[in-house]
Amino acid sequence: MKKLFKNGTVYTMNHSEDTYAGVIVDNGIIEAVLSQEDLKGINQNNFEVIDLNGGTMLPGFVETHIHVMGTGVWLSSVILNGETNIENVKEKIKQKAKTLEAGEWLVAEGYDENLLNGIRLDKSDLDELCKDHPVIIKRVCRHAAIVNSKALEVINIQDDVENPDGGSYEKRNGQLTGWVYDTAMEPFEELASNEDEQSLTKHLERAIDYLYQFGITGSHTEDLGYYEDYKDVLNAYKTVVGDKDNQRPFRVRLLRHFSVYEQMMDEQATFVDGWLEPDAMKFYADGAFGGSTALMKEPYSNDPTGENYGLAIYTQEALNEKVKLARNYDGAIAVHMIGDKACEMVLDAIEKYPAPKGLRDRLIHISTLNETLLNRVSKLPVICDVQPQFITSDFPWVQEKVGNERARYLYPFKSMLDLGIIIGGGSDAPIETPNPMLGVHAAVNRQSYGEDGAYFIEEALSIFDAISLYTTQASEIAQTTDRTGKIKSGYEADFTVLDKDPFKTNPKELANIQATKTIVNGKIVYERV
């Protein structure tokens, strides 16, 4: 039976004033968009009627950069995100330690010393809290972590260890502090993430149910390459995602980590049309601001030695080889880049080895820019994943690290859109809360909810452009503009219904708007009670 959604305001996202009163859906596809007069002219008894209860219907929100499986694992860990009291942090770790079996790793996520008055726990602190189990406490950026002595012992890492390429072990007076950065984290993460297909399936189910509550109908995610065998992850997705009765309808684009990319291509890994689509080859060019490992052209402003430029994961030559690897398979790349030097290196590589015709390389985060870099990006066939919430989580402390001149071009979203650069909105969850309305609030106000002032308000977006990051711009990134991103006849029936109209809400209150219904393929998958 056809479905009729009515009694709300329907925004097509053609422009901010293009509104309708109802939508007819047949077999997961939008058949018609109806005006109030159209509604009066149809026999509603011929439809399954869904009452929007005065809500605002938009095209389904899509997160263009997230770790869906990682979010499911995060939901099962010790969650430290947002903690402002170090004693609460310690108590959570102590209580979790009591529940572990012999030899089991204690994993915590979301540690942020910037919210803890700068307090940085180290291995001796963790030894006091949990001495009998290996521990890894991941910093909120996931580019740094703290491990305890047991973890170092398990992997047989001692004070004389040398830094690996693309990573480092922090030492004080020649002794390990327990802080590890970027590639130095990998052996600890590998042992701590003792997952199989069955456990990953449960994590994925939990993650998608969690995302539904924010109105999210699909995502571009990077999960392959982190959990032993990529087949376990891929099979979990095939089990959980789809249109069968026992599956969750959710549109997924899977980036493929470079460590498994060749294997997946050679083995001709399969996906699921319409639900699970392959995407570019992912790798990292640098670290993050939190650990001062984002790669900068000039030293960090608050570094007393004047010698810290951040961390290059690869030399220019090695980075070029990564690009060539994708090109060997006629593929595009997706690169994590935070610092301006990292951006420059990646642009150099893709200018030298252009993307195959019809494909576009994906620049992830692309946080630190300048006028020269902006102009270079605008001339290339690229798409950009940005995280508006980074504005509110980074700016309170990052200006001290980069100085005001460079801070002016941190997250310059308006400049990017003005130059015609395609940018999609994401949260990088579990790093930020995967709530698109928090991203919309940050992009429009460039401040945290309830704050005064703003961070470089000249880069603020209109409400329409901010919502576009999760709808029409996300569709541009996926290159599915013929069927997604708008509410239009013939398009997929994926909708987000909000309790308030964002275009008629005080912009300072955008963060308080909530999803009341999430609809994928015409099916209500979430309804707020």
Side-chain angles (χ1 to χ4, degrees):
M1 192 176 194
K2 295 180 182 181
K3 296 179 180 179
L4 171 63
F5 296 84
K6 68 167 195 172
N7 192 23
T9 304
V10 178
Y11 283 89
T12 65
M13 288 303 291
N14 283 317
H15 55 79
S16 62
E17 296 179 359
D18 192 31
T19 62
Y20 288 81
V23 178
I24 294 174
V25 171
D26 184 19
N27 197 30
I29 300 296
I30 299 170
E31 180 178 283
V33 184
L34 308 174
S35 67
Q36 199 64 51
E37 286 300 312
D38 294 331
L39 277 175
K40 293 176 182 177
I42 64 172
N43 184 351
Q44 297 187 17
N45 292 325
N46 294 331
F47 300 90
E48 177 188 346
V49 177
I50 292 94
D51 191 341
L52 299 178
N53 299 307
T56 298
M57 176 184 273
L58 293 161
F61 287 156
V62 174
E63 279 254 349
T64 63
H65 187 74
I66 187 174
H67 304 269
V68 176
M69 188 69 77
T71 298
V73 173
W74 169 78
L75 289 167
S76 302
S77 71
V78 179
I79 298 174
L80 302 178
N81 299 68
E83 283 290 351
T84 59
N85 186 317
I86 194 64
E87 296 306 319
N88 289 346
V89 169
K90 292 179 177 180
E91 186 62 25
K92 282 187 173 184
I93 296 169
K94 286 168 61 176
Q95 292 303 317
K96 181 65 175 179
K98 294 177 182 178
T99 70
L100 300 177
E101 298 180 4
E104 189 176 356
W105 281 74
L106 188 155
V107 179
E109 297 263 10
Y111 183 89
D112 188 352
E113 71 278 6
N114 294 303
L115 300 179
L116 297 164
N117 296 317
I119 296 173
R120 297 174 83 249
L121 298 178
D122 58 24
K123 72 171 182 178
S124 60
D125 296 309
L126 299 188
D127 290 345
E128 290 183 13
L129 297 170
C130 182
K131 67 178 181 179
D132 297 324
H133 299 273
V135 177
I136 179 170
I137 310 295
K138 299 179 187 179
R139 194 186 180 281
V140 65
C141 64
R142 282 189 156 193
H143 283 264
I146 325 163
V147 297
N148 68 346
S149 296
K150 189 72 173 178
L152 292 165
E153 177 187 321
V154 167
I155 302 180
N156 193 29
I157 292 177
Q158 300 174 2
D159 290 334
D160 60 357
V161 65
E162 295 184 1
N163 289 333
D165 291 339
S168 64
Y169 298 94
E170 184 181 87
K171 296 181 183 180
R172 188 184 304 123
N173 299 322
Q175 296 184 319
L176 292 166
T177 67
W179 277 85
V180 293
Y181 298 89
D182 290 291
T183 59
M185 294 171 56
E186 292 174 1
F188 301 97
E189 290 181 300
E190 184 175 334
L191 282 180
S193 61
N194 184 24
E195 306 285 356
D196 57 22
E197 184 179 331
Q198 183 177 10
S199 66
L200 291 168
T201 298
K202 292 179 180 178
H203 289 316
L204 188 56
E205 290 172 340
R206 186 181 298 114
I208 292 175
D209 289 343
Y210 175 65
L211 297 177
Y212 280 155
Q213 69 180 293
F214 300 113
I216 297 172
T217 63
S219 68
H220 303 187
T221 182
E222 202 255 308
D223 299 307
L224 300 167
Y226 299 104
Y227 306 100
E228 297 289 336
D229 190 340
Y230 83 83
K231 296 185 188 70
D232 289 340
V233 180
L234 190 55
N235 288 338
Y237 270 102
K238 290 179 179 179
T239 297
V240 175
V241 172
D243 57 359
K244 297 182 176 62
D245 289 342
N246 62 337
Q247 292 179 307
R248 286 160 173 75
F250 193 72
R251 317 281 184 184
V252 179
R253 298 191 72 84
L254 272 175
L255 299 176
R256 291 163 288 180
H257 193 272
F258 78 90
S259 64
V260 297
Y261 182 77
E262 281 186 283
Q263 182 185 358
M264 293 185 72
M265 297 298 284
D266 293 343
E267 294 177 353
Q268 298 182 327
T270 61
F271 299 84
V272 182
D273 288 346
W275 297 107
L276 194 63
E277 305 279 0
D279 212 295
M281 186 189 84
K282 163 73 183 295
F283 62 96
Y284 293 79
D286 66 346
F289 283 133
S292 298
T293 56
L295 186 63
M296 309 298 289
K297 289 173 65 66
E298 300 296 333
Y300 279 84
S301 300
N302 65 341
D303 176 46
T305 69
E307 297 178 357
N308 182 19
Y309 290 79
L311 185 68
I313 303 296
Y314 302 106
T315 63
Q316 184 68 61
E317 292 73 21
L319 195 154
N320 290 351
E321 289 301 313
K322 283 286 178 291
V323 177
K324 288 168 65 177
L325 170 60
R327 305 303 192 233
N328 289 340
Y329 291 94
D330 293 323
I333 58 169
V335 194
H336 162 113
M337 58 180 84
I338 299 286
D340 51 4
K341 180 60 177 177
C343 181
E344 184 178 86
M345 291 174 67
V346 173
L347 297 184
D348 286 348
I350 62 180
E351 286 169 350
K352 188 171 184 178
Y353 303 103
K357 186 176 181 180
L359 295 183
R360 296 181 293 199
D361 291 321
R362 184 185 291 246
L363 311 182
I364 298 172
H365 309 312
I366 192 165
S367 304
T368 316
L369 291 164
N370 54 49
E371 290 186 6
T372 299
L373 290 173
L374 279 166
N375 286 320
R376 287 180 69 184
V377 172
S378 71
K379 292 177 172 61
L380 290 168
V382 296
I383 51 182
C384 300
D385 294 343
V386 301
Q387 293 68 47
Q389 288 181 74
F390 283 7
I391 297 169
T392 57
S393 58
D394 286 1
F395 260 113
W397 48 267
V398 78
Q399 281 180 274
E400 181 184 353
K401 292 196 174 194
V402 302
N404 286 334
E405 185 176 345
R406 287 185 290 190
R408 165 62 184 86
Y409 282 101
L410 288 177
Y411 317 116
F413 302 150
K414 188 174 188 304
S415 292
M416 296 172 83
L417 288 180
D418 287 347
L419 286 168
I421 297 170
I422 299 168
I423 59 175
S427 63
D428 204 9
I431 291 176
E432 302 286 351
T433 303
N435 181 353
M437 289 312 301
L438 294 181
V440 169
H441 181 279
V444 170
N445 297 294
R446 292 186 71 90
Q447 62 178 200
S448 297
Y449 177 69
E451 279 189 352
D452 294 323
Y455 302 110
F456 300 99
I457 194 65
E458 58 268 36
E459 292 294 346
L461 299 185
S462 68
I463 293 172
F464 181 81
D465 283 343
I467 292 174
S468 295
L469 301 184
Y470 302 90
T471 54
T472 54
Q473 289 276 309
S475 180
E476 287 278 0
I477 284 182
Q479 294 185 286
T480 55
T481 54
D482 60 334
R483 57 188 171 89
T484 70
K486 293 183 179 181
I487 298 180
K488 181 178 178 179
S489 177
Y491 278 46
E492 294 171 354
D494 297 348
F495 311 119
T496 299
V497 182
L498 305 175
D499 62 352
K500 298 174 185 174
D501 186 334
F503 297 102
K504 297 179 180 177
T505 297
N506 181 339
K508 301 294 185 184
E509 297 298 323
L510 288 167
N512 290 327
I513 295 177
Q514 295 181 303
T516 58
K517 287 183 176 66
T518 305
I519 299 147
V520 186
N521 212 39
K523 177 183 178 181
I524 297 174
V525 294
Y526 168 79
E527 195 160 14
R528 185 158 62 91
V529 179

